[in-house]
Amino acid sequence: MSHLTLKLDTVHLSDEQFYHLCQNNRELKFERTPKGELIIMSPLGGESGNREADLIIDLGIWNRQTGLGYTFSSSTIFKLPNGGDRSPDAAWIQRERWQALTPEQRRKFPPIAPDFVIELRSATDDLEMLRSKMQEYMNAEVQLGWLINPQQQQVEIYRQKQDVEVRNLPTQLSGEDVLSGFSLSLFCY
């Protein structure tokens, strides 16, 4: 099992309560859907953790070279405008958008949708749940998202107002207009 979903139909956690729940239980990884469902996720295994780290490193190196924005790890929860509290495996936000937040907003769970997200499917992740999460990002105005699926040797590319593009691995991914000059070569993952 990769996660546990608690349906909290009669319990409504405020943003502040959700923040404190996460802070008081740092050994657990939480997310919250726009419906208020609380998702508790299990830790990653070695292969998934290594793959995730490599993706963050590649994105971070590109970002350091360009200085165009900020890179975030899977430990960051974003308060999305559609009501969800989500933590993609890797995320990036344009410099101007991040700096428009107050210091307090940046310190807690930033109330902003990233410009770019990556979700990496681990062996125990439910594919339909990840697809739903990617659609949630698109509904929150994320500009570009990659769902990397090593189990099926595919990547799904999500763009605003476009159908999902599915590519088989190996493939070369482009950051397009969102991450100008960023590319990632994915081989048999």
Side-chain angles (χ1 to χ4, degrees):
M1 180 176 73
S2 66
H3 74 279
L4 173 67
T5 301
L6 300 176
K7 298 185 186 315
L8 303 176
D9 297 2
T10 58
V11 178
H12 301 284
L13 293 174
S14 70
D15 291 345
E16 193 67 21
Q17 289 170 323
F18 178 69
Y19 177 79
H20 286 295
L21 174 71
C22 295
Q23 295 305 303
N24 292 330
N25 296 279
R26 291 179 182 263
E27 68 281 0
L28 300 173
K29 184 176 178 185
F30 295 101
E31 286 186 342
R32 188 167 54 162
T33 70
K35 296 179 199 172
E37 298 168 324
L38 188 63
I39 301 169
I40 306 169
M41 292 169 284
S42 60
L44 292 177
E47 285 183 354
S48 291
N50 177 254
R51 289 174 178 155
E52 181 181 297
D54 284 346
L55 294 170
I56 294 168
I57 289 167
D58 290 340
L59 184 60
I61 289 171
W62 167 84
N63 190 61
R64 283 216 174 148
Q65 291 170 345
T66 65
L68 294 175
Y70 294 86
T71 303
F72 300 88
S73 74
S74 62
S75 296
T76 307
I77 295 177
F78 295 97
K79 176 79 184 138
L80 301 177
N82 57 10
D85 294 285
R86 294 299 199 160
S87 56
D89 291 324
W92 181 84
I93 298 176
Q94 204 176 53
R95 177 176 295 285
E96 297 78 27
R97 292 184 65 234
W98 178 254
Q99 291 178 341
L101 297 175
T102 67
E104 178 73 8
Q105 289 172 320
R106 287 183 281 199
R107 232 183 334 274
K108 289 191 172 183
F109 298 155
I112 190 170
D115 294 289
F116 171 71
V117 297
I118 299 174
E119 286 290 345
L120 174 62
R121 183 181 181 203
S122 68
T124 57
D125 282 338
D126 178 73
L127 183 57
E128 289 310 312
M129 187 185 105
L130 286 175
R131 286 177 172 153
S132 175
K133 188 175 177 182
M134 293 300 290
Q135 193 55 57
E136 188 180 323
Y137 291 137
M138 293 298 105
N139 294 343
E141 301 298 321
V142 169
Q143 298 302 304
L144 178 65
W146 299 340
L147 171 54
I148 300 170
N149 182 351
Q151 291 74 24
Q152 294 175 321
Q153 292 294 292
Q154 292 181 328
V155 61
E156 297 178 10
I157 303 170
Y158 291 75
R159 300 176 184 94
Q160 280 296 313
K161 299 177 177 67
Q162 294 184 35
D163 291 337
V164 175
E165 179 185 351
V166 179
R167 291 190 194 169
N168 292 318
L169 300 183
T171 190
Q172 181 77 24
L173 298 174
S174 165
E176 303 174 7
D177 294 338
V178 180
L179 304 159
S180 182
F182 180 64
S183 65
L184 182 67
S185 295
L186 288 181
F187 299 98
C188 293
Y189 221 67

